Amino acid sequence: MKIHAAVALTLFALACTPSTATAEEGSQPCIQDAFSICGQFIPDRERVAACLFTNRAKVSAACRSSLAHFKPSAT
């Protein structure tokens, strides 16, 4: 399960990372927040992303900054 969670978060990070940044740079700001605030939605990266957007006030400043560049997909 932990491997699936790590893969899901990596894929989420890659999907939300501008193409000019490396995967490692893009995945760092929100990983801890994803686990601590939105862990119940792992490994569903879309639900994790929606959770992070919904909880913007609770996530770290670095994650909030990363989220500011992206819009959640409409469901």
Side-chain angles (χ1 to χ4, degrees):
M1 181 67 169
K2 287 186 180 184
I3 292 173
H4 291 287
V7 170
L9 285 174
T10 300
L11 291 175
F12 168 71
L14 290 173
C16 292
T17 303
S19 60
T20 56
T22 66
E24 186 174 318
E25 290 170 342
S27 66
Q28 294 305 314
C30 294
I31 287 206
Q32 285 302 113
D33 294 313
F35 276 106
S36 64
I37 298 169
C38 303
Q40 71 270 26
F41 300 115
I42 294 170
D44 186 333
R45 70 183 181 133
E46 290 189 22
R47 289 180 72 194
V48 171
C51 174
L52 289 171
F53 277 101
T54 300
N55 291 287
R56 279 186 302 266
K58 296 179 183 176
V59 301
S60 65
C63 183
R64 202 168 26 256
S65 176
S66 292
L67 292 174
H69 300 289
F70 303 98
K71 295 180 183 175
S73 59
T75 54

